[in-house]
Amino acid sequence: DNSVPTTIETTMEIGGGSGNRFMTKGQVGSMIMLLMEQFSFRVQADSPRVESEEDESVPTNFDGKNGQVDAYAASLLGLMPELHGNEDTVNRQKVPLDLLVNQVFQEIGKDETDDSVCLTYDDFVQWARASFDPSTSIDVLDRKINPFILDLRLIGSIVFGIKPSSPALERILIDEVQQRFKYMYPPSETARRGPSGTRWFIIQKNWWDEWEGYSKTTLALALPKIGNDLMLVENGSLMMRPGLRFRYD
């Protein structure tokens, strides 16, 4: 599929390249800062909810006075040049924002030394879809604009009720929600499925099994509406049957 996802176009517009469909160096820098701020927010928001005496605050990624960004965060997002690898970032807390901006233009084969150089829409798509070293241990979904796009899709589906464009994407979003919850609230002996007060929406196991098959295929299958009748008592009320078993009923 060679089509360009709407979310990539939206990301370019948020970065500043809307009207003329191109971004200046300054706008590319602003986009990088937005991506890194979103990264910092996600790290903090998804951190395990445990009491600790240690400072759990996320370090600021940007020093407005000196134009410096957090090297480790930039490396995790795949924004660092190859010459500044993992070993180098361990010993360097900050790197110039200009270094990351120039890297964007280098990746698409443009002269990064030209201050008037611009990132066109096609350039942006090329950069956003650039392939990664298969030896990396970090999933492609965790690089460049992809974490931001993933959050846009989660907001669209969960907050605004927009149906994902494909069963495969729907599965990615469901898996992401589950993984974030498990990371935020690690299972314990007293709380195996979240802390006290967690709100759960009960789904019948038979329907969940159908969804599992639906989300793994590329076929245009029809998914029935969620039906929980088999989990209710037989007298017509909405009371749940006693003795229901997790992941069985």
Side-chain angles (χ1 to χ4, degrees):
D1 184 6
N2 294 322
S3 61
V4 178
T6 304
T7 40
I8 289 184
E9 184 168 357
T10 302
T11 305
M12 183 176 183
E13 292 180 358
I14 292 174
S18 55
N20 296 319
R21 295 179 71 83
F22 69 81
M23 298 171 70
T24 64
K25 270 192 166 184
Q27 289 171 326
V28 171
S30 297
M31 175 194 70
I32 290 175
M33 290 315 311
L34 288 173
L35 296 178
M36 298 192 69
E37 288 174 8
Q38 188 261 354
F39 171 84
S40 292
F41 170 77
R42 281 265 56 94
V43 170
Q44 188 174 46
D46 296 337
S47 295
R49 300 299 193 262
V50 294
E51 295 183 2
S52 173
E53 296 180 356
E54 299 179 0
D55 181 12
E56 296 181 357
S57 61
V58 179
T60 303
N61 285 323
F62 178 56
D63 182 345
K65 183 177 180 180
N66 299 316
Q68 302 287 307
V69 296
D70 184 73
Y72 182 64
S75 178
L76 290 178
L77 283 172
L79 301 174
M80 291 284 287
E82 293 182 3
L83 296 179
H84 297 262
N86 293 333
E87 184 176 347
D88 185 58
T89 57
V90 170
N91 301 318
R92 299 182 60 185
Q93 295 183 347
K94 301 287 184 179
V95 293
L97 175 61
D98 289 344
L99 179 72
L100 307 187
V101 173
N102 290 338
Q103 173 63 16
V104 172
F105 289 98
Q106 287 178 10
E107 287 188 18
I108 60 174
K110 285 197 169 183
D111 182 9
E112 75 281 359
T113 62
D114 182 0
D115 290 336
S116 64
V117 67
C118 291
L119 191 75
T120 67
Y121 178 64
D122 290 338
D123 293 335
F124 179 77
V125 173
Q126 178 185 340
W127 171 77
R129 290 186 155 184
S131 59
F132 300 94
D133 184 352
S135 64
T136 181
S137 60
I138 301 179
D139 196 304
V140 171
L141 289 175
D142 294 332
R143 295 298 191 98
K144 294 185 176 177
I145 67 172
N146 289 321
F148 180 68
I149 286 180
L150 181 60
D151 271 8
L152 286 181
R153 286 170 167 163
L154 285 169
I155 292 171
S157 297
I158 298 173
V159 178
F160 297 105
I162 301 174
K163 183 177 177 58
S165 58
S166 69
L169 177 57
E170 187 171 326
R171 185 175 188 84
I172 288 174
L173 299 183
I174 294 295
D175 287 345
E176 182 67 19
V177 171
Q178 291 181 321
Q179 290 173 10
R180 291 185 184 187
F181 183 84
K182 290 178 180 178
Y183 184 70
M184 290 169 60
Y185 304 104
S188 64
E189 293 183 1
T190 58
R192 290 184 296 171
R193 289 181 283 276
S196 175
T198 300
R199 177 183 293 182
W200 288 97
F201 296 90
I202 308 300
I203 297 177
Q204 190 172 299
K205 177 67 163 54
N206 290 347
W207 185 91
W208 180 259
D209 289 341
E210 287 193 55
W211 179 84
E212 287 273 3
Y214 161 83
S215 63
K216 292 178 180 179
T217 182
T218 57
L219 301 177
L221 300 179
L223 187 66
K225 292 183 178 180
I226 297 176
N228 290 333
D229 294 347
L230 295 180
M231 295 194 299
L232 305 178
V233 294
E234 297 180 355
N235 61 7
S237 72
L238 296 179
M239 183 180 297
M240 299 188 72
R241 283 195 295 112
L244 291 174
R245 291 163 292 180
F246 180 59
R247 290 181 177 174
Y248 185 85
D249 292 310

